């Protein structure tokens, strides 16, 4: 029962906070890619993209 209540509470929170949920999911995906799959070329490209983004914000 407790798991079901927690799951329902999580779903409700996610529905109310769609943008933040999307942000967290994308951040997690990005971090996992960098840590586990990115090649040296990928990392170089990401460094450049990060520099550009830092100038924008």
């Amino acid at each position: 029962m407790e798991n079901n209540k927690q799951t329902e509470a999580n779903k409700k929170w996610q529905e109310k906070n769609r943008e933040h949920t999307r942000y967290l999911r994308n951040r997690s995906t990005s971090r996992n890619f960098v840590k586990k799959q990115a090649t040296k070329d990928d990392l170089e490209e990401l460094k450049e993209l990060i520099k550009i983004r830092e100038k924008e914000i």
Side-chain angles (χ1 to χ4, degrees), residues 13-51:
W13 184 90
Q14 289 172 350
E15 287 174 12
K16 286 185 177 181
N17 299 282
R18 286 188 185 271
E19 278 299 311
H20 191 64
T21 299
R22 186 176 302 124
Y23 165 79
L24 292 174
R25 184 177 55 245
N26 288 340
R27 185 178 70 177
S28 177
T29 301
S30 300
R31 288 178 175 183
N32 283 325
F33 174 74
V34 168
K35 288 179 181 179
K36 298 177 182 177
Q37 293 179 316
T39 65
K40 187 160 181 86
D41 289 340
D42 291 332
L43 294 174
E44 291 300 320
E45 180 182 1
L46 289 169
K47 285 178 191 177
E48 290 302 314
L49 292 171
I50 290 168
K51 285 179 187 177

Side-chain angles (χ1 to χ4, degrees), residues 2-21:
E2 273 189 42
N3 282 344
N4 193 23
K5 287 181 183 180
Q6 186 62 52
T7 301
E8 289 300 317
N10 287 345
K11 285 182 185 179
K12 192 173 182 179
W13 184 90
Q14 289 172 350
E15 287 174 12
K16 286 185 177 181
N17 299 282
R18 286 188 185 271
E19 278 299 311
H20 191 64
T21 299

